[in-house]
């Protein structure tokens, strides 16, 4: 069952990639005779739907195998997020029929699923706090809400790619490229960690933690930054270039450095091939799209996603917290970041409705909103420890 | 109060920008604009009209969305700062907070503590921020909802030409047969669930007006939610107590006025087992080592029967047996008991034998209940042991005197006085785990350690929260309001005959794409030209 499940996920992953190509092709297609999406886009849509169905199959089979909804650790949650993003894309696409949305949304979903697979993938049993029906009610609703909000990020990105002037130096041009670089770094992280894991790299260290205790740490990438008073115990592996004090998590820092480095190399390679900024290279894809329509897609996604997010990430969360943790609100970092997300999109809506922040300003806000969501997903689980740290 | 009379005869409150009835522009500076600012229907808002007294100024400050957004953004940033380091309630109680932050995080931790960020969410300034958001919610809503309600209620079907012309979606055209075209459009709009009003042959098709109230409904929900938060501070509304209860023990449940008692019938800790649990978990269990499966306290809830005089043993009536697990609290009346913590194998009983040190002969066993030791243990035949002092959690203080750290028997120690027929005055012996001290020289007898008996202890949170229903009500109203405002749109389509032409204008509070598609469908086949999006045309000309 678990094998079938993983194969279905793999299938979905490949199909999303293929669908992206078709959506991109539909924009490049010069034989546009009639108005509306062409054949390429129609094929792209069907492939996305089949991919989504495959991933739904992964979800259901894994649920059956584990006996609980597969949203209980970082791998499962992030994968589900990716699936919801594709689902949200399909729904929004059916309303607005804009192939370019696929070109931007599907790769984000693909990155997300690939990123998810860097975490432990085994089916894990539920600790007592998670043994509740609210696990799938709360987590899935929250993830779907975030995914719909993420569509507004894709729309914002399209808006910016089209509207930001690539010929003049400007803050906008710089930050748009910075976002592209961020996405490339995620790809870098995925490539570098899957390469080392395919090569089976393992190096053990004895080290002294911040409480002065001896401990063992296993690296899966060559250690550039070694742990405090670390002694490499696996023979023939790379000796650290620098030793970190105990307060800094040397292993995570090491991963960050590797990801950044591979991101930079990848980015430079792309620049060499494209001979222009990534933003500029993507610009032709957006040339036929109407800015107002993209703006509206972004706004609409926030309007649809915000209530779902509030329901899942705050209201259902509070109900469950009252049952499991005796209080509905406890200022746990994950809770606080859900509140921050809520406040941020509330500000987005107010700025838009009353201050007339449409178009480019709105697009930038959508991008920042997505960064906040990603921060809550990645950093709050991995860096800031709290009650929600089920990352393992 | 001075009022503004429009040409159409409608009397508008002072400060009105667009006539409530016909929509004519009343405000001079609005007249040059190509498109109307349709926010709040151009109604007279208090904040835009008065600015004299101090109350006006406060009102105007809080009614500004700009101020509201700033309050939201500041709260957002403050909340984020509070997650950089753990809050005081989450740090382990190994040392005072003051030392902990510096010890764990260096100078950053010290700074964090000194700035009061370790208790950020209950700091006065954070509470002021939340309260300001609350005030802003009330004032912003009142400032807008009343005039908006008036304007939408008073609106006429035949809007002024200047109003129609300056709608974002507008078009003027000739139709061959206006009457027939109007009748056709009317039917189509009706089938799209528009409610139609007619006046002098003109049409106003409107739907989803209630979505305009969504924001105000959700603000009411938020205000109720915040009121719930305030009620937390009222004594008696909120109980947060912890009850440590040993297996076999019956204890009164705190804050129930001695009404309810709880007996702990046993604590159960289960771990996942590779052999017994699902095979798919094997890899995960191997990796993690131990994974907890269940924390459970089997309890019996009792209610006191009748009145008892102080000191008298209460007569208890069993209410029910229950298995308290995580995610499965025991509820009774307005209380809930939650499984939150446990302690395994706490020392419960210790057994000794009064023994002659030389011969090793024993004169009887005694068992001390460490939570309720007797004063004297009579072993018969003139042998007895008196407990002179008892230190449940013993250590020596700086003067070398034995003291107890707590009342929990973590490290029990006794001072026994042993009476035997040959030592009628008794011998003093200090007995602790693995040590015996004889303070007055050599004794002939000793309390020989025989064994211990341990028990598990459950920690249960006792919770009563009379504010919960208010939060629930606020939450439900908020969700209703937010759905109402997000998933429905307020759309209006005007069809007006002007000098033989047909003027069509449309307005929606959001989702213009949808409105335009509906107008297109409604006018299809009528011969009336589909109106244009003037904003889009503007931006395209610019671009």
């Amino acid at each position: 069952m678990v094998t079938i499940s993983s194969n279905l996920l793999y299938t979905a992953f490949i199909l999303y990639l293929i669908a992206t190509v078709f959506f991109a092709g539909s924009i490049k297609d010069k034989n546009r005779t009639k108005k509306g999406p062409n054949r390429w886009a129609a094929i792209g849509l069907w492939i996305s739907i089949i991919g989504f169905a495959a991933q739904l199959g992964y979800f259901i089979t894994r649920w059956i195998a584990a006996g609980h909804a597969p949203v209980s650790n970082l791998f499962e949650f992030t994968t589900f997020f990716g699936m919801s993003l594709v689902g949200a894309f399909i729904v929004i696409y059916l309303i607005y029929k804009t192939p370019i949305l696929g070109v931007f949304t599907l790769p984000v979903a693909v990155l997300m699923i690939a990123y998810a697979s860097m975490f432990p993938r085994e089916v894990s049993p539920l600790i007592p706090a998670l043994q509740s029906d609210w696990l799938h009610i709360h987590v899935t609703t929250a993830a779907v809400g975030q995914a719909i909000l993420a569509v507004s990020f894709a729309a914002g990105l399209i808006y910016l790619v089209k509207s930001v002037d690539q010929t003049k130096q400007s803050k906008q041009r710089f930050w748009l490229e910075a976002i592209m670089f961020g996405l490339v770094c995620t790809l870098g992280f995925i490539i570098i960690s899957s390469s080392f894991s395919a090569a089976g790299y393992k190096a053990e260290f004895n080290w002294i933690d911040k409480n002065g205790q001896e401990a063992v740490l296993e690296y899966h990438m060559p250690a550039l930054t070694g742990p405090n008073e670390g002694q490499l115990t696996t023979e023939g592996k790379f000796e650290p270039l620098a030793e970190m004090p105990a307060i800094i998590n040397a292993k995570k820092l090491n991963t960050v450095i590797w990801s950044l480095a591979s991101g930079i190399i990848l980015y430079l390679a792309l620049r060499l091939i494209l001979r222009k900024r990534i933003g500029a290279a993507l610009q032709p894809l957006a040339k036929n799209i109407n800015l107002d329509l993209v703006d509206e897609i972004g706004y609409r996604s926030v309007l649809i996603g915000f209530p779902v997010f509030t329901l899942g990430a705050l209201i259902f969360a509070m109900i469950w917290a009252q049952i499991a943790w005796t209080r509905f609100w406890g200022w746990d970092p994950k809770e606080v970041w859900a509140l921050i997300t809520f406040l941020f999109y509330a500000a987005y809506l107010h700025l838009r409705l009353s201050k007339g922040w449409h178009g480019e300003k709105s697009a930038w806000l959508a991008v920042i909103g997505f960064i906040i969501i990603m921060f809550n997903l990645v950093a709050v689980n991995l860096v800031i420890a709290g009650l929600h740290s089920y990352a393992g | 109060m001075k009022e503004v009379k429009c040409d159409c005869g409608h009397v508008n409150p002072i400060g009105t920008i667009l006539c409530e009835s016909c929509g004519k522009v009343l405000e001079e500076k609005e007249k040059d604009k190509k498109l109307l600012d349709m926010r709040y229907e151009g109604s007279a808002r208090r904040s835009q009209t008065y600015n004299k007294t101090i109350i006006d100024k406060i009102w105007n400050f809080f009614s500004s969305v700009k101020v509201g957004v700033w309050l939201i953004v500041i709260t957002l940033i403050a909340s984020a700062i509070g997650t950089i380091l753990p809050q005081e309630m989450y740090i382990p109680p190994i040392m005072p907070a003051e030392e902990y932050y510096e010890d764990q995080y260096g100078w950053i931790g010290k700074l964090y503590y000194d700035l009061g960020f370790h208790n950020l969410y209950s700091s006065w300034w954070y509470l002021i921020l939340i309260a300001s958001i609350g005030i802003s919610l009330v004032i912003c809503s009142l400032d807008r909802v009343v005039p908006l309600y008036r304007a939408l209620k008073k609106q006429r079907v035949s809007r002024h030409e200047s109003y129609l012309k300056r709608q974002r979606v507008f078009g003027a055209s000739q139709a061959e047969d206006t009457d027939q075209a109007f009748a056709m459009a009317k039917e189509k709009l009706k089938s799209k669930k528009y409610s139609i009003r007619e006046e002098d042959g003109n049409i106003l098709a409107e739907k989803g007006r209630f979505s305009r109230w969504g924001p105000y409904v959700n603000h009411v929900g938020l205000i109720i939610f915040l009121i719930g938060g305030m009620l937390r501070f009222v004594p008696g509304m909120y109980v947060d107590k912890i009850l440590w209860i040993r297996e076999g023990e019956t204890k009164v449940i705190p804050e129930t006025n001695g009404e309810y008692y709880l007996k702990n019938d046993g604590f159960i800790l289960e771990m996942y087992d590779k052999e017994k649990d699902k095979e798919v978990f094997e890899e995960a269990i191997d990796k993690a080592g131990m994974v907890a499966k269940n924390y459970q306290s089997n309890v019996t809830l009792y209610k006191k029967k009748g009145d008892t005089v102080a000191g008298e043993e209460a007569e208890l009536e069993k209410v029910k047996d229950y298995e308290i697990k995580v995610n499965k609290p025991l509820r009774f009346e307005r209380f809930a008991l939650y499984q939150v913590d446990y302690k395994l194998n706490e020392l419960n009983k210790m057994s000794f034998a009064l023994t002659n040190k030389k011969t090793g002969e024993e004169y009887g066993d005694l068992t001390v209940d460490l939570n309720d030791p007797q004063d004297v243990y009579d072993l018969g035949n003139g042998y007895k042991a008196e407990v002179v002092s008892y230190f449940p959690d013993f250590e020596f203080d700086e003067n070398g005197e034995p003291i107890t750290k707590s009342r929990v028997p973590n490290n029990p120690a006794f001072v026994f006085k042993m009476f035997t027929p040959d030592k009628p005055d008794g011998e003093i012996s200090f007995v602790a785990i693995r040590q015996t001290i004889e303070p007055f020289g050599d004794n002939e007898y000793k309390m020989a350690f025989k064994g211990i008996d341990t028990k598990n202890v459950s920690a249960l949170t006792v919770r009563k929260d009379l504010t919960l229903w208010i939060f629930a009500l606020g939450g439900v109203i908020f969700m209703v309001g937010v759905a109402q405002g997000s998933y429905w749109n307020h759309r209006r389509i005007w069809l007006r005959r002007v000098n033989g032409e047909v003027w069509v204008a449309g307005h929606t509070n959001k989702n213009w794409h949808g409105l335009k598609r509906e107008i297109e469908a409604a006018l299809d086949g009528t011969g009336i030209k589909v109106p244009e999006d003037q904003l889009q045309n503007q931006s395209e000309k610019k671009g």
Side-chain angles (χ1 to χ4, degrees), chain A residues 1-2 35 63-68 94-97 120-132 134 148 210-211 247 290 292-293 296 299-300 302-308 310-311 315 318 320-337 339-356 358 372 375 380 384-385 387, chain B residues 39-40 64-66 69 72-73 75-77 79-84 86-87 89-90 103-106 121-122 126 130 133 144 168 215 219 222 225 232 238 240 272 278 280-285 287 291-295 326-329 331 338-340 461 463 465 467-468 471 475-476 478-479 482-483 485-487 489 491 509-514 516-517 533 535-536 539-540:
Chain A
M1 201 65 135
V2 180
K35 222 183 148 195
W63 190 329
I64 295 168
H68 61 256
L94 290 175
I95 303 176
Y96 291 101
K97 309 268 188 316
R121 265 173 290 175
E122 62 270 355
V123 179
S124 43
L126 293 183
I127 59 166
L130 292 180
Q131 292 165 12
S132 166
W134 288 101
I148 303 172
K210 69 178 171 189
N211 300 322
I247 194 165
N290 181 327
D292 268 339
L293 185 63
E296 188 165 318
Y299 179 41
R300 198 82 192 280
V302 174
L303 274 178
I304 300 174
F306 182 70
V308 179
T310 311
L311 188 68
I315 295 194
M318 286 189 205
W320 190 14
Q322 180 73 31
I323 296 170
W325 293 331
T326 82
R327 81 291 177 286
F328 63 86
W329 192 259
W331 299 107
D332 173 66
K334 197 90 176 177
E335 292 174 347
V336 175
W337 278 92
L339 176 70
I340 289 172
T341 314
F342 170 82
L343 289 174
F344 181 83
Y345 283 99
Y348 170 101
L349 291 171
H350 283 93
L351 286 170
R352 200 171 163 110
L353 290 168
S354 300
K355 295 274 128 201
H358 296 248
I372 292 177
F375 185 86
V380 175
I384 306 171
L387 295 172
Chain B
R39 271 182 294 145
Y40 319 114
S64 151
V65 171
K66 194 170 164 187
V69 170
I72 292 176
V73 171
T75 309
L76 187 159
I77 294 168
S79 308
I81 292 171
T83 62
I84 297 173
Q87 292 288 297
M89 58 194 150
Y90 288 115
D103 181 72
Q104 294 284 314
Y105 306 105
Y121 304 112
S122 49
Y126 192 79
I130 302 285
I133 289 181
R144 289 165 175 81
R168 180 172 156 183
H219 286 180
L222 285 175
F225 198 93
R232 271 287 159 85
Y238 183 69
D240 180 22
Y272 280 98
K278 286 197 169 199
V280 282
F281 296 150
E282 201 177 317
E283 203 185 333
I285 295 170
K287 210 180 228 179
V291 183
K293 186 179 185 183
N294 186 24
Y295 307 117
V326 181
N327 273 311
K328 224 184 115 206
R331 293 179 203 280
Y338 294 84
Q339 175 69 50
V340 285
T461 285
R463 166 83 70 240
D465 192 345
T467 63
L468 277 183
F471 288 108
V476 168
F478 175 81
M479 276 319 297
V482 91
S486 307
Y487 298 148
N489 313 302
R491 290 176 181 167
N509 57 339
K510 58 187 177 290
N511 188 7
W512 290 85
H513 183 74
K516 284 187 275 181
R517 272 200 310 198
D533 186 338
L535 188 72
Q536 207 157 303
S539 64
E540 266 163 26

Side-chain angles (χ1 to χ4, degrees), chain A residues 15-294:
Chain A
L15 287 175
Y16 295 155
L17 277 176
I18 298 172
T20 311
V21 175
F22 273 92
F23 281 122
S26 96
I27 296 166
K28 289 263 161 112
D29 186 7
K30 297 231 164 53
N31 311 322
R32 284 167 63 107
T33 43
K34 61 179 169 59
K35 222 183 148 195
N38 54 22
R39 202 121 160 235
W40 286 77
I43 298 172
L45 177 67
W46 276 110
I47 296 176
S48 317
I49 292 174
I50 297 167
F52 182 75
Q55 198 174 356
L56 208 59
Y58 140 82
F59 187 75
I60 293 166
T61 45
R62 195 173 167 102
W63 190 329
I64 295 168
H68 61 256
V71 284
S72 65
N73 59 32
L74 207 51
F75 161 71
E76 293 175 339
F77 179 82
T78 315
T79 321
F80 183 77
F81 190 122
M83 178 169 95
S84 313
L85 184 56
V86 176
F89 156 71
I90 293 172
V91 172
I92 304 262
Y93 179 85
L94 290 175
I95 303 176
Y96 291 101
K97 309 268 188 316
T98 41
I100 188 171
L101 196 61
V103 185
F104 281 77
T105 317
L106 291 177
V108 175
V110 164
L111 265 186
M112 208 94 106
I113 296 168
Y115 174 77
S117 357
M118 299 302 116
F119 294 96
R121 265 173 290 175
E122 62 270 355
V123 179
S124 43
L126 293 183
I127 59 166
L130 292 180
Q131 292 165 12
S132 166
D133 284 340
W134 288 101
L135 170 68
H136 51 259
I137 301 173
H138 153 63
V139 183
T140 52
T141 322
V144 169
Q146 290 182 332
I148 303 172
L149 291 172
V151 174
S152 82
F153 160 71
L157 215 52
I158 297 170
Y159 193 103
L160 295 174
V161 163
K162 174 156 178 149
S163 75
V164 170
D165 187 353
Q166 293 286 349
T167 56
K168 280 201 304 260
Q169 193 189 343
S170 64
K171 260 190 282 183
Q172 283 90 333
R173 194 178 77 172
F174 171 78
W175 285 111
L176 178 61
E177 204 55 18
I179 296 163
M180 299 298 169
F181 176 68
L183 292 172
V184 170
C185 278
T186 314
L187 187 62
F189 164 73
I190 292 161
I191 293 174
I192 201 82
S193 46
S194 38
S195 321
F196 281 124
S197 118
Y201 189 92
K202 257 180 206 157
E204 271 192 9
F205 286 87
N206 287 334
W207 69 295
I208 310 290
D209 71 11
K210 69 178 171 189
N211 300 322
Q213 304 288 318
E214 273 191 42
V216 179
L217 197 60
E218 195 181 89
Y219 276 62
H220 300 282
M221 293 183 188
L224 303 171
T225 54
N228 184 37
E229 295 178 38
Q231 290 290 324
L232 183 62
T233 51
T234 320
E235 260 178 55
K237 299 292 178 188
F238 191 79
E239 285 282 352
L241 299 176
E243 186 184 303
M244 292 294 122
I247 194 165
I248 288 170
N249 188 324
K251 188 179 163 187
K252 282 176 186 168
L253 181 66
N254 187 51
T255 310
V256 170
I257 294 172
W258 271 106
S259 310
L260 267 178
S262 48
I264 290 170
I265 292 169
L266 207 56
Y267 180 79
L268 290 177
L270 276 171
R271 285 293 293 265
L272 269 174
I273 298 164
L274 297 169
R275 306 231 160 246
K276 52 183 136 182
R277 271 173 219 87
I278 298 182
L282 290 173
Q283 212 165 27
L285 284 174
K287 70 173 186 293
N288 289 323
I289 191 88
N290 181 327
L291 278 181
D292 268 339
L293 185 63
V294 185

Side-chain angles (χ1 to χ4, degrees), chain B residues 485-496:
Chain B
S486 307
Y487 298 148
W488 280 271
N489 313 302
H490 177 219
R491 290 176 181 167
R492 276 173 298 172
I493 300 167
W494 293 275
L495 292 169
R496 194 178 164 176

